[in-house]
Amino acid sequence: MFFSLRLRVAATLISGLMLSNVACARNEGHFAEQQVRHIATYFPGRMSGSPAELMTADYLHQQFASLGYKTNTRQFNTGFDWHNNDGQSRWHKLTATSVIAARAGSEPQEILIVAHLDTWRPQNSAEANQNLGGLRLQGVDDNASGLGVMLELAQQLSARPLHYGVRFVALSAGEQGMHGMDDYVARMSKKEQKNTLLVIDLNSLITGDHLYFNSGINTPRAVRKQTSERALQLARKSGIPAASHQSEEKDSAINAFDKAGFPLLSVTASNWALGNKDGKQQRSRTRHFPEGTTRHQTDRDNLAYLDHWLPGRIARRTRDSVNVLLPLLRELTNPKV
């Protein structure tokens, strides 16, 4: 688990978007943006246990397989409480489907890159009436953005020799209360736990005012230097505005990998600099974005709304994310020994 020491020691709707050599030659971030737009357009309502979730999982599975990754899907049973207007609640069972793709390196250790694939599921009639989540939610920011960047990173690393391997997890039931991440951590074998050098979590990369590279509470100082601090150096070198927030116990929704003691780099867009500490895709109300937050909101977290109020933001953030994370991953997977 001591990453710094180890680094030193050693079809359906997808036919037009299958990975190709032509796509590889395009500018970094372009393919990620394509994927964000494709996933948001063709797979809205990706709620855990829904048909749209299964279609998304199948799409991602085919994308990873086309790149030569060893890939599979994993299901687990979960559920949620639906709260009635009378104050009573009913438990709804569902089966969530995640996609896992891996490529081994010359050493058994690997870096885990995670992005949740599901969108928000309304948990009471009030949320449904307010258009929070549901079948129409495109989830551009939350979290097609993470999936798009994940796919480009997988594309770029697919043919590169690796010292340490990479494992991509498009995680279902990642939304709060679904416990998809907890389930994944609980099912890791002792060998997998031992060989996981670092977890990179990609979540909501578009809407927040600032791009952040955050270390987990349990990430050692030496690892922060090689990950979050190094990411900031790479960002500044490319002229990309970025910052870092050291997670604390008082922060809400502590990442399950962080709780389990894994070194963590959480990548997100947020407003910590503006006093918002929750780490979500919140925005201030400004004349450029009058409706404020897009979080879980069907009428706002969609392509039309974001392209109108934040023109060029999707292209810029996917490009910036890839331009920082790709060289970082190249360094981490093939360290100078």
Side-chain angles (χ1 to χ4, degrees):
M1 194 67 68
F2 294 99
F3 184 63
S4 58
L5 294 178
R6 290 178 180 171
L7 282 178
R8 293 190 182 98
V9 175
T12 53
L13 297 165
I14 66 173
S15 58
L17 280 172
M18 291 301 292
L19 305 178
S20 65
N21 291 332
V22 174
C24 291
R26 291 173 177 167
N27 294 333
E28 290 177 357
H30 179 73
F31 181 70
E33 182 192 1
Q34 281 189 318
Q35 292 296 325
V36 171
R37 293 182 178 278
H38 183 79
I39 292 167
T41 300
Y42 291 109
F43 308 116
R46 303 179 299 276
M47 299 174 290
S48 296
S50 69
E53 180 212 47
L54 288 172
M55 293 173 64
T56 308
D58 182 63
Y59 174 74
L60 296 170
H61 175 77
Q62 292 186 52
Q63 292 290 300
F64 285 122
S66 73
L67 284 168
Y69 284 84
K70 182 179 179 181
T71 182
N72 60 77
T73 58
R74 175 186 291 180
Q75 294 185 322
F76 80 100
N77 296 323
T78 183
F80 67 98
D81 280 318
W82 174 266
H83 298 278
N84 298 321
N85 291 332
D86 60 6
Q88 300 297 315
S89 64
R90 291 182 294 119
W91 178 253
H92 282 248
K93 296 180 180 180
L94 57 86
T95 300
T97 304
S98 300
V99 182
I100 302 169
R103 181 166 177 255
S106 58
E107 296 294 326
Q109 293 82 15
E110 63 184 10
I111 296 171
L112 184 63
I113 301 101
V114 180
H116 77 84
L117 68 85
D118 57 317
T119 52
W120 182 255
R121 177 183 287 274
Q123 300 191 7
N124 54 62
S125 57
E127 288 189 352
N129 292 336
Q130 294 169 13
N131 286 324
L132 296 178
L135 296 173
R136 296 189 301 111
L137 176 59
Q138 287 190 341
V140 177
D141 187 30
D142 188 14
N143 189 35
S145 63
L147 296 174
V149 170
M150 170 187 279
L151 285 171
E152 177 153 346
L153 294 175
Q155 177 197 66
Q156 297 278 4
L157 294 171
S158 62
R160 184 181 179 85
L162 299 175
H163 184 73
Y164 297 121
V166 289
R167 182 177 298 267
F168 295 93
V169 179
L171 186 72
S172 188
E175 285 289 4
Q176 189 171 353
M178 291 291 184
H179 303 295
M181 193 175 287
D182 297 284
D183 177 83
Y184 186 89
V185 171
R187 292 168 66 172
M188 293 177 73
S189 67
K190 294 293 185 182
K191 182 178 180 180
E192 289 174 330
Q193 293 176 25
K194 180 181 178 181
N195 288 335
T196 300
L197 297 172
L198 174 71
V199 178
I200 301 177
D201 185 26
L202 309 175
N203 188 21
S204 299
L205 303 175
I206 307 298
T207 311
D209 286 324
H210 303 273
L211 190 60
Y212 274 79
F213 298 89
N214 303 327
S215 293
I217 297 172
N218 295 305
T219 304
R221 175 70 182 83
V223 180
R224 295 202 304 270
K225 184 176 180 180
Q226 293 177 298
T227 55
S228 59
E229 293 182 19
R230 179 57 178 152
L232 293 183
Q233 291 175 357
L234 291 167
R236 289 164 185 154
K237 183 178 179 181
S238 298
I240 298 170
S244 182
H245 168 80
Q246 178 62 45
S247 298
E248 302 172 356
E249 292 289 350
K250 63 182 180 180
D251 291 337
S252 62
I254 299 300
N255 187 289
F257 288 104
D258 194 7
K259 289 181 182 177
F262 292 96
L264 174 70
L265 175 64
S266 176
V267 185
T268 190
S270 186
N271 285 4
W272 273 293
L274 300 179
N276 174 19
K277 303 296 187 180
D278 71 355
K280 302 300 181 182
Q281 73 280 26
Q282 309 287 336
R283 286 186 55 86
S284 58
R285 274 191 179 80
T286 69
R287 63 187 180 87
H288 301 294
F289 202 80
E291 298 299 336
T293 181
T294 63
R295 190 173 184 227
H296 303 156
Q297 301 191 40
T298 300
D299 296 335
R300 299 176 189 172
D301 194 5
N302 61 67
L303 292 168
Y305 188 91
L306 294 175
D307 283 339
H308 176 76
W309 290 109
L310 299 171
R313 173 66 68 84
I314 297 173
R316 186 168 68 254
R317 277 291 169 74
T318 50
R319 181 184 67 242
D320 289 351
S321 298
V322 172
N323 280 339
V324 174
L325 290 170
L326 183 58
L328 180 66
L329 279 168
R330 284 172 174 165
E331 291 179 4
L332 296 177
T333 55
N334 289 290
K336 295 179 181 179
V337 294

